[in-house]
């Protein structure tokens, strides 16, 4: 650099010219913002010198956003980092509570670029156009609240019909090296563009929107080394289906999964592994292994995708800063998994959990052995995981082969485009027609059946049946509210093949179909362009920019509304130990955020804390009677629903505790699962282990999430016990608390309880919530 710049005045002049390069905006919607790779580089440099070792890509991007790179204590898996994310994204179901919390903070405008995306409240019934029209009528009050709150506080608003939040982010907002937080557990989708995108609860989003440093426990880094290349029927989805089988639903907890190695460049963006959409699929479903997020290093595929989505200036800038957007040579991972893509076979995972992995070639036999229904009733493609142009093209290539032989799908078949841009482009390029002709219904650009927004009519409640989807999650009852539905997740191409065949006993690599004229034929492996040859068709304009002047904007919340309710602050800690908390329910086995705060029909109450609290823990299994939503009220001796008993305890001044198993709160980021227990008088959630987002959400609301130091102490607790938590007067980081378990027969057990609170978080507990603490500091 010295030789180029020369000395003295010339040197100053040249370096000023370097710095005077035109700024590149973070997105076309925010021309006033700019990407600062210089700041990222400066922070990486400081941390690398301090740690004196090569850095993984995850570390570069995360540490590159430290609030205090010089003073921050950094130890993977141990310390809490204070970070400055670049932007916030919220989907409409969680944005209601996030915006209600932001409004109650009293701040005039958001401090970082933020967006709201209307994708969760559109129910699949008939087809895209009709379903969207109905959703706009049914949800008018909520959409109006979000649109006006966005306009008032400086938040961009993507109207219903614009698409799924994660696809919109990929197309418009994600870029290599950005740190983005989103109020949805599948926010990691953006890792397909070299971004660190992390799912959080709404209270975390409020911190970032308020300009407060955001806390994250310093993640470990799991390396997934890819070698070889994908071919035939194997797709990017199979990479994460395989990883889920290896790591299980909690194997990624506390870690970022970082893909690297020579196989990365073979992932699609098409036919090969390395398209941004293929990489996004892998990162998206990383949420199913509990990972904080997942990421791929910057490569030529990302550059192509940026160019195709109108962001050539960002691609050019990323090229100049490429060294900061890939891992350092010689960096160390906490764990390494190696996958040879050339040997990877198509997979299908399920039922009832996304980590039960099977090769497609074996699923028929496994299903027969286990008594799972072989007939495929419905095949569903799309969702935030697999709804790219490439996914739709590959599915259409199979549908066309079937049509050419006079066949249609034996199963019902639904198609969910990821965004208005995808919908318009696959319509223009003929894919939608092929998918409709083979028997498909094209649904609205929204989450739909993936999150339970599906008015399913083809089977009765309780009827055993099988569906296959290209989604990410398949917990019991998730898609259609029917606990007897066996849901399997796989790639869109395998879904399409199984929908055509109508049975799990079909391996498209080896098995034949019978054409309309009686001849036997095999499906050729799918193919599809990574990106459209002609550019994307943007479709209808569905974006509302916040106005420059928002003084006259009114945000409406009617006091009589059943769907929106302004928030009242939670009570502060009274300075005493928590005495004689009644065990409300001792939960048996898996308890996801779907069990704690169900979605589906309950989504309509996401902006009304009191009404949505009527779903609290109604899906959890009570260990006392193996029943759901049936617990004994210890004050009356009668059995009732969990929320009803909780309300009765609260009305009678009795605080309570929930006791749970491993990985409690896995799944969605929904903070309602933490708000509801707090609202209904809960103080403590005591479990063997927590999923990351849920544990943080509980802390934010002034709850006490605790874990058994000895997991076998779970067995000591009886459903009618009372538990006192002692040691709160000296509550401090790293210092366990004591639990005094009082049994009905007068005997007691004393147990040790761990927590992961840091100093800041202890202050949230004292103040009654993180929001209360924010107000104290204003």
């Amino acid at each position: 650099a010295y030789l180029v710049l020369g000395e003295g005045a010339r040197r100053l002049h040249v370096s000023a010219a370097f710095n005077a390069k035109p700024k590149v905006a973070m997105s076309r919607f925010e021309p006033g913002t700019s990407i600062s790779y210089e700041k990222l580089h400066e922070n990486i440099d400081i941390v690398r010198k301090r740690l004196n070792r090569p850095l993984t890509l995850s570390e570069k991007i995360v540490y590159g956003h430290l609030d205090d790179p010089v003073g921050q204590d950094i130890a993977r898996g141990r310390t809490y980092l204070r970070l400055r994310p670049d932007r916030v994204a919220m989907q409409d179901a969680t944005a209601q509570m996030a915006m209600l919390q932001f409004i109650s903070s009293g701040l005039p405008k958001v401090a970082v670029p933020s967006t709201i995306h209307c994708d969760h409240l559109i129910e699949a019934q008939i087809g895209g156009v009709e379903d969207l029209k109905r959703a706009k009528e049914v949800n008018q009050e909520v959409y109006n609240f979000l649109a006006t709150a966005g306009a008032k506080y400086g938040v961009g608003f993507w109207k219903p019909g614009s698409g799924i939040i994660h696809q919109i982010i990929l197309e418009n907002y994600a870029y290599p090296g950005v740190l983005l937080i989103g109020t949805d557990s599948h926010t990691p989708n953006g890792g397909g563009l070299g971004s660190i995108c992390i799912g959080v609860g709404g209270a975390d989003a409020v911190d970032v929107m308020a300009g407060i440093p955001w806390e994250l426990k310093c993640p470990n880094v799991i390396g997934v080394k890819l070698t070889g290349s994908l071919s035939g029927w194997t797709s990017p989805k199979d990479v994460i289906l395989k990883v889920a089988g290896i790591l299980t639903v909690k194997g990624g907890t506390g870690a970022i999964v970082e893909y690297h190695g020579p196989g990365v460049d073979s992932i699609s963006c098409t036919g090969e592994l390395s398209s941004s959409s293929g990489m996004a699929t892998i990162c998206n479903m990383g949420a199913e292994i509990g990972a904080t997020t997942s990421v791929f290093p910057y490569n030529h595929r990302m550059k192509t995708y940026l160019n195709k989505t109108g962001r050539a200036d960002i691609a050019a800038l990323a090229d100049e800063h490429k060294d900061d957007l890939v891992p350092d040579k010689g960096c160390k991972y906490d764990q390494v998994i190696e996958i040879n893509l050339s040997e990877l076979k198509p997979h299908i995972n399920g039922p009832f959990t996304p980590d039960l992995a099977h090769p497609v070639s074996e699923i028929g036999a496994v299903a027969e052995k286990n008594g799972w229904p072989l007939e495929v009733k419905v095949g569903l493609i799309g969702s935030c995981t697999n709804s790219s142009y490439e996914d739709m093209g590959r599915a259409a290539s199979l549908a066309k082969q079937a049509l050419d032989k006079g066949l249609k799908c034996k199963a019902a078949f639904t198609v969910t485009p990821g965004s208005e841009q995808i919908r318009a482009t696959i319509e223009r390029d003929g894919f939608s027609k092929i998918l409709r002709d083979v028997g498909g219904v094209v649904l609205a650009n929204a989450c739909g059946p993936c999150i339970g927004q599906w008015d399913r009519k083809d089977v009765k409640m309780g009827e055993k049946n099988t569906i296959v989807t290209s989604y990410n999650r398949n917990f019991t009852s998730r898609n259609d509210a029917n606990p007897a539905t066996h849901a399997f997740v796989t790639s869109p191409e395998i879904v399409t093949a199984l929908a055509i065949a109508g049975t799990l006993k079909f391996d498209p690599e080896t098995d034949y179909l019978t054409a309309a004229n009686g001849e036997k034929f095999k499906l050729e492996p799918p193919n599809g362009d990574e990106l459209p040859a002609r550019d994307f068709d943007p479709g209808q304009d569905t974006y509302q920019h916040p106005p420059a002047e928002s003084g006259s904007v009114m945000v409406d919340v009617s006091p009589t509304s059943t769907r929106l309710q302004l928030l009242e602050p939670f009570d502060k800690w009274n300075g005493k130990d928590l005495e004689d908390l009644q065990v409300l329910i001792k939960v048996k086995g898996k308890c996801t955020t779907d069990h704690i705060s169900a979605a589906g029909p309950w989504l309509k109450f996401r902006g009304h804390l009191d009404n949505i609290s009527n779903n609290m823990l109604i899906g959890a299994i009570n260990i006392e009677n193996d029943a759901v939503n049936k617990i004994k009220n210890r004050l009356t001796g009668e059995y009732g629903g969990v929320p009803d008993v909780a309300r009765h305890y609260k009305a009678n001044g009795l605080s309570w505790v929930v006791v749970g198993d491993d990985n409690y709160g896995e799944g969605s980021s929904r903070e309602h699962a933490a708000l509801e227990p707090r609202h209904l008088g809960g103080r403590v959630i005591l479990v063997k282990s927590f999923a990351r987002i849920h544990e943080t959400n509980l802390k934010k609301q002034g709850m006490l999430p605790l874990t058994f130091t000895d997991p076998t102490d779970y067995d000591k607790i009886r459903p009618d016990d009372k538990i006192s938590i002692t040691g709160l007067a000296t509550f401090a980081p790293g210092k366990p608390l004591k639990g005094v378990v009082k049994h009905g027969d007068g005997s007691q057990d004393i147990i040790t309880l761990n927590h992961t609170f840091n100093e800041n978080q202890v202050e949230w507990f004292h103040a009654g919530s993180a929001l209360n603490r924010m107000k104290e500091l204003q």
Side-chain angles (χ1 to χ4, degrees):
Y2 180 78
L3 290 174
V4 175
L5 294 173
E7 299 178 48
R10 171 173 149 68
R11 183 184 171 114
L12 283 171
H13 172 76
V14 175
S15 63
F18 261 112
N19 291 331
K21 269 195 196 150
K23 296 280 187 201
V24 174
M26 286 168 71
S27 85
R28 66 194 166 96
F29 302 104
E30 293 138 352
T33 62
S34 60
I35 295 174
S36 180
Y37 282 140
E38 291 76 21
K39 177 74 178 148
L40 185 77
H41 180 75
E42 193 180 303
N43 285 5
I44 292 170
D45 249 14
I46 291 167
V47 173
R48 195 192 278 115
K49 287 193 179 95
R50 279 184 55 201
L51 298 180
N52 193 26
R53 61 173 173 80
L55 300 177
T56 64
L57 170 61
S58 312
E59 291 181 300
K60 286 183 177 182
I61 303 175
V62 172
Y63 305 161
H65 287 84
L66 284 169
D67 183 47
D68 174 16
V70 176
Q72 171 73 57
D73 190 12
I74 300 170
R76 292 206 309 221
R78 203 168 56 76
T79 58
Y80 280 86
L81 307 178
R82 290 165 68 81
L83 301 166
R84 292 283 182 182
D86 298 302
R87 65 179 313 123
V88 172
M90 299 167 278
Q91 41 93 333
D92 51 356
T94 46
Q96 295 168 63
M97 197 52 74
M99 291 311 292
L100 286 164
Q101 290 177 87
F102 188 81
I103 290 167
S104 68
S105 77
L107 295 164
K109 277 270 189 293
V110 295
V112 301
S114 304
T115 50
I116 293 167
H117 304 259
C118 294
D119 62 358
H120 269 59
L121 302 177
I122 302 165
E123 188 180 48
Q125 261 190 356
I126 304 162
V129 176
E130 301 93 329
D131 294 349
L132 178 60
K133 182 169 175 281
R134 194 182 65 259
K136 286 178 175 173
E137 289 163 8
V138 172
N139 303 308
Q140 184 183 4
E141 180 187 17
V142 170
Y143 292 147
N144 180 50
F145 166 71
L146 292 172
T148 52
K152 180 87 177 165
Y153 297 101
V155 179
F157 180 69
W158 288 83
K159 297 171 194 167
S162 55
I164 306 174
I165 176 171
H166 313 303
Q167 185 65 28
I168 299 278
I169 288 170
L170 203 66
E171 291 171 359
N172 300 283
Y173 298 116
Y175 61 81
V178 73
L179 177 61
L180 177 152
I181 69 163
T183 60
D184 189 278
S185 52
H186 292 104
T187 303
N189 193 71
L193 259 185
S195 314
I196 292 286
C197 298
I198 300 178
V200 298
D204 279 22
V206 173
D207 280 357
V208 180
M209 292 192 291
I212 296 170
W214 172 64
E215 287 197 338
L216 176 72
K217 193 167 201 183
C218 187
N220 287 318
V221 189
I222 296 173
V224 178
K225 184 179 181 184
L226 301 176
T227 59
S229 61
L230 291 177
S231 61
W233 283 88
T234 311
S235 75
K237 184 70 163 270
D238 297 308
V239 176
I240 187 59
L241 293 172
K242 175 78 173 171
V243 169
I246 295 168
L247 284 176
T248 77
V249 288
K250 60 176 191 170
T253 304
I256 294 177
V257 178
E258 183 172 312
Y259 293 86
H260 64 281
V264 165
D265 285 328
S266 94
I267 291 201
S268 63
C269 280
T270 320
E272 301 161 86
L273 178 57
S274 126
S275 62
S276 288
S277 54
M279 294 187 278
T281 291
I282 293 167
C283 293
N284 175 297
M285 206 181 143
E288 269 44 73
I289 54 174
T292 302
T293 191
S294 302
V295 70
F296 277 85
Y298 179 61
N299 66 8
H300 65 287
R301 307 260 183 194
M302 294 182 192
K303 180 178 181 169
T304 306
Y305 185 80
L306 287 166
N307 287 338
K308 270 284 188 192
T309 49
R311 294 175 286 172
D313 51 346
I314 296 180
L317 194 64
D319 277 347
E320 285 177 38
H321 295 271
K322 185 164 189 220
D323 286 352
D324 291 330
L325 306 174
V326 296
D328 285 343
K329 279 196 172 62
C331 66
K332 291 279 187 284
Y333 297 100
D334 295 285
Q335 177 185 354
V336 177
I337 294 166
E338 199 161 326
I339 295 178
N340 182 343
L341 301 174
S342 304
E343 294 169 3
L344 186 63
K345 287 292 183 193
H347 270 64
I348 183 167
N349 288 21
F352 307 125
T353 184
D355 57 354
L356 188 58
H358 322 271
V360 170
S361 57
E362 294 169 19
I363 189 63
V366 173
E368 270 185 326
K369 182 166 150 266
N370 289 313
W372 302 335
L374 286 174
E375 183 195 356
V376 175
K377 284 280 189 192
V378 194
L380 304 99
I381 65 168
S383 86
C384 64
T385 321
N386 273 111
S387 57
S388 66
Y389 183 81
E390 179 181 12
D391 290 326
M392 296 297 166
R394 284 167 70 88
S397 77
L398 297 172
K400 182 151 185 350
Q401 293 179 53
L403 288 168
D404 289 347
K405 299 287 186 182
L407 295 187
K408 285 193 168 194
C409 288
K410 282 194 178 152
F413 187 48
T414 71
V415 179
T416 308
S419 67
E420 171 59 10
Q421 177 166 283
I422 299 288
R423 184 210 61 79
T425 308
I426 65 170
E427 195 67 61
R428 179 197 71 193
D429 292 353
F431 299 166
S432 297
K433 183 180 184 326
I434 294 169
L435 294 169
R436 279 194 290 262
D437 288 349
V438 85
V441 176
V442 179
L443 299 173
N445 316 320
C447 303
C450 181
I451 58 155
Q453 283 285 33
W454 184 16
D455 184 20
R456 189 177 178 195
K457 299 275 198 251
D458 65 303
V459 294
K460 291 189 188 66
M461 187 57 72
E463 185 183 329
K464 251 175 97 163
N465 73 99
T466 285
I467 64 173
V468 290
T469 80
S470 71
Y471 304 161
N472 40 43
R473 246 173 224 160
N474 57 346
F475 301 137
T476 305
S477 306
R478 179 174 173 90
N479 302 122
D480 62 1
N482 180 0
T485 293
H486 293 56
F488 296 85
V489 287
T490 183
S491 66
E493 40 269 60
I494 295 293
V495 173
T496 307
L498 295 180
I500 292 165
T503 174
L504 286 179
K505 278 202 89 164
F506 178 70
D507 176 5
E509 291 196 287
T510 57
D511 295 345
Y512 288 79
L513 292 166
T514 306
N517 65 4
E519 72 167 289
K520 301 277 191 199
F521 75 100
K522 255 169 68 172
L523 290 168
E524 294 292 321
N527 61 71
D529 291 336
E530 178 185 335
L531 296 161
R534 295 181 283 166
D535 285 338
F536 281 108
D537 179 340
Q540 296 170 35
D541 182 14
T542 51
Y543 177 71
Q544 170 192 295
H545 201 285
E549 287 301 319
S550 60
S552 60
V553 177
M554 292 299 293
V555 181
D556 254 358
V557 176
S558 159
T560 58
S561 171
T562 59
R563 296 197 59 177
L564 296 165
Q565 180 186 46
L566 292 171
L567 293 172
E568 295 288 324
F570 290 130
D571 58 325
K572 292 178 71 156
W573 176 57
N574 65 7
K576 299 177 183 159
D577 283 338
L578 297 170
E579 296 285 346
D580 292 333
L581 303 176
Q582 179 65 57
V583 172
L584 177 70
I585 178 172
K586 182 178 178 184
V587 177
K588 176 181 173 182
K590 192 191 270 278
C591 190
T592 72
T593 47
D594 277 309
H595 295 97
I596 304 166
S597 174
W602 292 94
L603 281 170
K604 61 176 168 289
F605 299 125
R606 283 282 180 89
H608 196 294
L609 180 53
D610 195 52
N611 282 347
I612 198 167
S613 293
N614 291 322
N615 77 0
M616 183 188 77
L617 285 159
I618 61 174
I621 296 172
N622 178 9
I623 201 165
E624 189 176 18
N625 55 8
D626 276 347
V628 295
N629 204 28
K630 188 178 177 188
I631 59 169
K632 191 168 186 178
N633 184 325
R634 306 293 164 184
L635 296 179
T636 66
E638 293 167 5
Y639 279 84
V642 184
D644 308 317
V645 175
R647 284 185 191 277
H648 186 251
Y649 288 169
K650 184 184 179 182
N652 286 278
L654 178 61
S655 295
W656 48 261
V657 52
V658 169
V659 178
D661 211 320
D662 259 323
N663 207 31
Y664 184 89
E666 75 173 90
S668 161
S669 71
R670 67 191 66 148
E671 68 185 325
H672 298 77
L675 281 155
E676 293 171 28
R678 182 75 164 103
H679 176 63
L680 294 186
R683 301 302 305 185
V684 174
I685 309 289
L686 172 56
V687 301
K688 292 182 186 174
S689 66
F690 283 103
R692 172 188 65 87
I693 300 176
H694 186 59
E695 184 181 26
T696 304
N697 286 347
L698 288 165
K699 292 177 184 176
K700 287 260 169 174
Q701 303 307 339
M703 292 286 286
L704 207 52
L706 302 174
T707 54
F708 298 103
T709 304
D710 176 359
T712 63
D713 285 344
Y714 169 86
D715 302 321
K716 292 179 180 166
I717 293 177
R718 303 169 198 168
D720 61 342
D721 284 346
K722 290 194 167 177
I723 303 177
S724 296
I725 308 297
T726 65
L728 288 174
T730 55
F731 184 28
K735 188 175 174 185
L737 295 165
K738 282 269 184 290
V740 182
V741 185
K742 301 174 187 177
H743 305 302
D745 60 11
S747 64
Q748 287 190 357
D749 279 300
I750 310 274
I751 59 177
T752 312
L753 305 174
N754 291 347
H755 66 84
T756 60
F757 280 77
N758 62 28
E759 280 162 20
N760 261 356
Q761 295 169 344
V762 171
E763 287 172 354
W764 300 343
F765 175 74
H766 290 159
S769 72
L771 201 54
N772 289 357
R773 181 66 184 146
M774 187 193 293
K775 282 185 175 160
E776 287 176 0
L777 293 171
Q778 267 178 47

